[in-house]
Amino acid sequence: MQPDRLSATFAALADPTRRAILARLASGETSVTDLAKPFDISLPAVSKHLKVLEGAGLIARGRDAQWRPCRLQANPLKDIADWVGYYRRHWEESFDRLGSYLKELQRKDNQRKEKRHDRKK
Amino acid sequence: MQPDRLSATFAALADPTRRAILARLASGETSVTDLAKPFDISLPAVSKHLKVLEGAGLIARGRDAQWRPCRLQANPLKDIADWVGYYRRHWEESFDRLGSYLKELQRKDNQRKEKRHDRKK
């Protein structure tokens, strides 16, 4: 089987800490130590998450041996957006159906109220 | 920790067979047997994938005990699109940078060609 980049990207994103790391890196490159601060997990645990993100091409590390800042690489996210965009029509249809259903409920409710009003007259 | 729907959706999508099942269901509801046909895997393996998709709310199964067709449920995909859309600016910037870099390469290449041309004169 050929390497499946899209699966690797989806798997890397299937974790709230890794998504929080990406959100942090969206505002600029950061050292691993600073990256770890807001999370209640050890540095080795953060490093493990970074390796997964790096493997999926979602982050890159600087070459400076002392600092090695992490930087967001957003191109794989474009592939996710392209893939999911194919289904846009489907979720829009399902919201349209929900809208029609709510309108129908409201119409019936109004009819019932009118009938009750007529009986009172 | 509260149940994390977004992680469950990402994890469900991190498999090419499950994404192919969703693509098939995008063109209409289908029985499990018909769904399994194009894949070189057993019915129990397909059922396992369907359970993951159902757990993530990406498909629903009909109530008819005989047929139980599968149907795409696209709403969780909208959540993915919303999440990834936040990073659009980043991948657009990175494509812009690539564009500038290629233009710069072309400019240098043209300069070199002009110099060579001048020397020949």
Side-chain angles (χ1 to χ4, degrees):
Chain A
M1 220 177 113
Q2 65 193 110
D4 172 10
R5 287 204 56 94
L6 206 53
S7 295
T9 309
F10 276 124
L13 297 174
D15 181 280
T17 306
R18 288 199 289 269
R19 292 198 302 277
I21 289 173
L22 292 183
R24 171 68 192 79
L25 292 178
S27 43
E29 62 174 28
T30 311
S31 73
V32 177
T33 324
D34 281 347
L35 209 48
K37 269 178 199 162
F39 303 108
D40 195 19
I41 50 175
S42 65
L43 266 182
V46 169
S47 289
K48 218 171 155 187
H49 283 309
L50 293 178
K51 271 204 186 102
V52 177
L53 291 170
E54 204 176 359
L58 285 160
I59 65 164
R61 309 285 298 271
R63 289 213 190 111
D64 183 333
Q66 293 300 309
W67 194 48
R68 301 212 64 204
C70 299
R71 193 172 65 240
L72 177 70
Q73 304 257 84
N75 292 8
L77 297 177
K78 184 185 184 300
D79 300 333
I80 299 286
D82 290 344
W83 181 87
V84 83
Y86 173 78
Y87 294 91
R88 176 171 303 274
R89 180 171 65 83
H90 293 273
W91 72 70
E92 281 174 354
E93 271 170 16
S94 104
F95 284 109
D96 287 350
R97 271 198 303 275
L98 181 66
S100 308
Y101 176 68
L102 293 175
K103 260 186 207 158
E104 179 61 19
L105 279 187
Q106 198 167 36
R107 198 184 58 80
K108 282 183 181 166
D109 192 48
N110 287 343
Q111 273 184 339
R112 212 170 40 234
K113 278 178 191 159
E114 275 168 28
K115 269 188 193 164
R116 213 181 298 156
H117 186 75
D118 288 348
R119 254 180 281 157
K120 278 186 183 165
K121 271 199 278 196
Chain B
M1 219 179 114
Q2 65 192 111
D4 171 11
R5 287 204 56 93
L6 207 52
S7 294
T9 309
F10 276 123
L13 297 175
D15 180 280
T17 306
R18 290 200 287 270
R19 292 198 303 276
I21 290 173
L22 292 183
R24 171 68 192 79
L25 293 177
S27 43
E29 60 175 29
T30 311
S31 72
V32 178
T33 324
D34 282 345
L35 209 48
K37 269 178 202 164
F39 302 108
D40 195 20
I41 50 176
S42 65
L43 265 181
V46 169
S47 290
K48 219 170 156 188
H49 283 309
L50 293 177
K51 271 204 186 102
V52 177
L53 291 170
E54 204 176 359
L58 285 161
I59 65 163
R61 309 285 300 270
R63 289 216 189 108
D64 183 332
Q66 292 300 309
W67 194 48
R68 303 211 62 207
C70 300
R71 194 172 64 242
L72 177 70
Q73 304 257 84
N75 292 9
L77 296 178
K78 183 184 184 303
D79 300 333
I80 299 284
D82 290 345
W83 181 87
V84 83
Y86 173 77
Y87 294 91
R88 174 172 305 276
R89 181 171 64 83
H90 294 274
W91 72 71
E92 282 174 352
E93 271 170 15
S94 103
F95 284 110
D96 286 350
R97 271 198 304 274
L98 180 65
S100 308
Y101 176 67
L102 292 176
K103 259 187 209 159
E104 179 60 19
L105 279 188
Q106 198 166 36
R107 197 184 58 79
K108 282 184 183 165
D109 192 46
N110 287 343
Q111 274 183 338
R112 213 171 38 235
K113 278 180 192 158
E114 275 167 29
K115 269 187 197 165
R116 214 182 299 157
H117 184 74
D118 288 346
R119 254 180 280 155
K120 279 186 186 167
K121 269 202 276 197

